[in-house]
Amino acid sequence: MSPTLSSTVKNKRLFFAIEGLLFANRNRLSIASHVTNPYSKAQATTFPVSSGYLRIIARMLCLQERELPRLLAGTGLPIEVLMPGDETYLSGRQLVRILENGQGIMGGPDFGIALGKQLSPDAHGPIGYLSLASPDLLSSLRALADYLPARLGVVDLQITLDDKWLTCSYQILETTPDHIRQYMCEAFALSVQSQVETILRRAAVEAEISFTHSEPRNAAAYSQSLNGQFLFDQPVVRYRLPAELAHTANTGGDSEAFRVTKERCDKLLAQQPAAGHSVAGRVRRLLLTQPQGSVSEDQIARALFVSKRTLARRLKQENIGYRTIRESVLRELACQALQDSSQSVESIAVSLGYNDSAAFRKAFRRWTGS
């Protein structure tokens, strides 16, 4: 088999494997039984929203535990929905209320811009893995449009390609106040920009970004955040690029190693409760849901809405430390990977966040004593 054909087969296998994962995620949509609020269950299942986006908002606002009820005020949601591992799907109306609360906490007009900057491809869960693995820009955007409703059901994306433009059009399905709609459209533009630039591996200066709202008083923030031309008072919200960019190849990363590591993380995650109450269990879950080597102890603490010092104290109360948990996760993943003869030691080292195989070998000997 030629190298080109082999690469094509590998990409297709990877694409359909992650596609299956996303389909399984879509079929798991449910509303947690503990959610009691003024919004009907019918509404919630019509426009489901993953609680993962709530955690993104809370981290963006740098909230601590005692401040979390302010973000959830008026939704009927308990703070447990903000803990790692929670898989609650809430309603579009609850999301709108949380956006209103978040803007009130942050203050100023830049809430949508700030939120959009958090929505890199990996913020969308498995959809981020699919976008990283898709063979070109067009398939990456189509994956976003096809599967985003499984995690963010309040929006509808349409991808079209003609002789001149590759267009991503955006529509909000939930009844939304104008200022909240503006924040959502700003976040959409920056999220799509992030996905596009991940594939292009450069700034998308050719983009044309249209908004239905009038020019806001913080228009200067658009110039600082959006890399293309942006237009106001337009009939539709859309992000579009010259058509010739549609088939730009996705050349970044070792997608096969990425897929294998993700499968192993999912397998380990399945062996523990979805929302364990121990702090150690939450730390472990966070480590397993991020690319290995990509997060620090400070970032884990912020994801749990506590300081690094508080995290260390709570782990000590459970007779364990952060480093012990991290090395346990890496050891388990490494042992699984080494049983797979199709992966080289160099590939395993990269997938676990090591710069070279020598550092990985040294760590493995320390973990196992061999």
Side-chain angles (χ1 to χ4, degrees), residues 15-27 29 48 50 53 89 124-131 134 139-153 155-157 159 195:
F15 188 89
F16 288 118
I18 301 180
E19 190 174 55
L21 171 64
L22 287 164
F23 181 79
N25 253 344
R26 177 154 56 184
N27 286 326
L29 298 182
S50 167
Y53 293 105
Y89 277 77
H124 301 299
I127 298 167
Y129 290 96
L130 182 56
S131 68
S134 296
S139 61
S140 177
L141 290 175
R142 282 178 172 167
L144 184 69
D146 288 345
Y147 293 104
L148 190 60
R151 289 178 59 81
L152 193 60
V155 301
D156 177 52
L157 303 184
I159 308 300
Q195 179 136 342

Side-chain angles (χ1 to χ4, degrees), residues 63-358:
L63 299 181
Q64 295 291 299
E65 272 183 325
R66 64 183 181 278
E67 300 170 305
L68 296 179
R70 292 179 61 195
L71 183 62
L72 300 175
T75 66
L77 293 167
I79 63 171
E80 283 75 17
V81 302
L82 290 165
M83 293 296 109
D86 183 89
E87 295 180 359
T88 300
Y89 277 77
L90 46 147
S91 74
R93 292 182 64 191
Q94 287 172 315
L95 175 64
V96 169
R97 181 58 185 267
I98 287 164
L99 292 173
E100 290 179 324
N101 293 343
Q103 195 281 328
I105 293 169
M106 179 176 172
D110 293 338
F111 181 79
I113 296 289
L115 177 57
K117 289 180 178 178
Q118 308 301 311
L119 298 180
S120 57
D122 59 359
H124 301 299
I127 298 167
Y129 290 96
L130 182 56
S131 68
L132 291 171
S134 296
D136 58 27
L137 178 58
L138 177 60
S139 61
S140 177
L141 290 175
R142 282 178 172 167
L144 184 69
D146 288 345
Y147 293 104
L148 190 60
R151 289 178 59 81
L152 193 60
V154 296
V155 301
D156 177 52
L157 303 184
Q158 296 293 327
I159 308 300
T160 57
L161 176 64
D162 57 30
D163 292 341
K164 188 176 181 181
W165 296 104
L166 169 61
T167 303
C168 182
S169 302
Y170 177 77
Q171 185 177 9
I172 301 171
L173 304 177
E174 178 62 71
T175 302
T176 309
D178 288 345
H179 66 294
I180 297 298
R181 182 172 295 269
Q182 176 181 324
Y183 298 148
M184 294 176 72
C185 291
E186 292 166 345
F188 153 77
L190 284 162
S191 181
V192 173
Q193 175 176 275
S194 178
Q195 179 136 342
V196 166
E197 294 182 350
T198 297
I199 304 299
L200 296 182
R201 302 178 72 80
R202 62 172 177 80
V205 294
E206 310 95 326
E208 181 186 279
I209 308 155
S210 300
F211 299 101
T212 54
H213 57 266
S214 299
E215 181 173 345
R217 57 190 175 93
N218 65 327
Y222 287 53
S223 299
Q224 297 166 4
S225 305
L226 294 169
N227 292 321
Q229 176 188 15
F230 44 89
L231 307 169
F232 301 107
D233 294 310
Q234 299 299 301
V236 294
V237 180
R238 68 187 178 197
Y239 183 106
R240 65 183 189 177
L241 295 157
E244 58 265 24
L245 295 177
H247 299 293
T248 301
N250 179 9
T251 60
D254 183 347
S255 58
E256 184 69 13
F258 193 79
R259 177 188 67 82
V260 171
T261 303
K262 178 65 171 64
E263 286 180 351
R264 292 189 181 114
C265 288
D266 287 339
K267 182 177 179 180
L268 290 175
L269 280 174
Q271 295 172 1
Q272 65 182 67
H277 293 294
S278 74
V279 177
R282 287 171 175 164
V283 169
R284 176 181 167 84
R285 175 166 288 274
L286 279 168
L287 288 171
L288 286 168
T289 54
Q290 301 296 322
Q292 298 306 309
S294 68
V295 292
S296 65
E297 186 175 0
D298 280 324
Q299 290 170 313
I300 293 293
R302 286 198 296 271
L304 292 169
F305 310 108
V306 296
S307 66
K308 180 179 175 181
R309 185 174 179 179
T310 298
L311 174 62
R313 184 177 70 250
R314 291 182 180 179
L315 288 173
K316 185 177 181 180
Q317 291 170 351
E318 297 180 4
N319 299 312
I320 199 168
Y322 173 80
R323 182 175 178 179
T324 301
I325 300 170
R326 179 179 178 274
E327 294 200 343
S328 173
V329 168
L330 290 173
R331 182 177 65 249
E332 291 179 60
L333 292 173
C335 288
Q336 287 187 16
L338 289 169
Q339 294 173 9
D340 182 356
S341 59
S342 67
Q343 265 196 290
S344 67
V345 173
E346 289 74 17
S347 177
I348 294 169
V350 170
S351 70
L352 294 180
Y354 289 90
N355 292 327
D356 56 65
S357 59

Side-chain angles (χ1 to χ4, degrees), residues 21-62:
L21 171 64
L22 287 164
F23 181 79
N25 253 344
R26 177 154 56 184
N27 286 326
R28 279 200 338 235
L29 298 182
S30 62
I31 306 302
S33 58
H34 61 243
V35 176
T36 56
N37 54 72
Y39 310 119
S40 70
K41 187 173 182 179
Q43 177 69 40
T45 51
T46 300
F47 301 132
V49 178
S50 167
S51 58
Y53 293 105
L54 276 64
R55 291 188 281 277
I56 290 172
I57 294 170
R59 289 196 295 270
M60 178 189 79
L61 296 171
C62 300

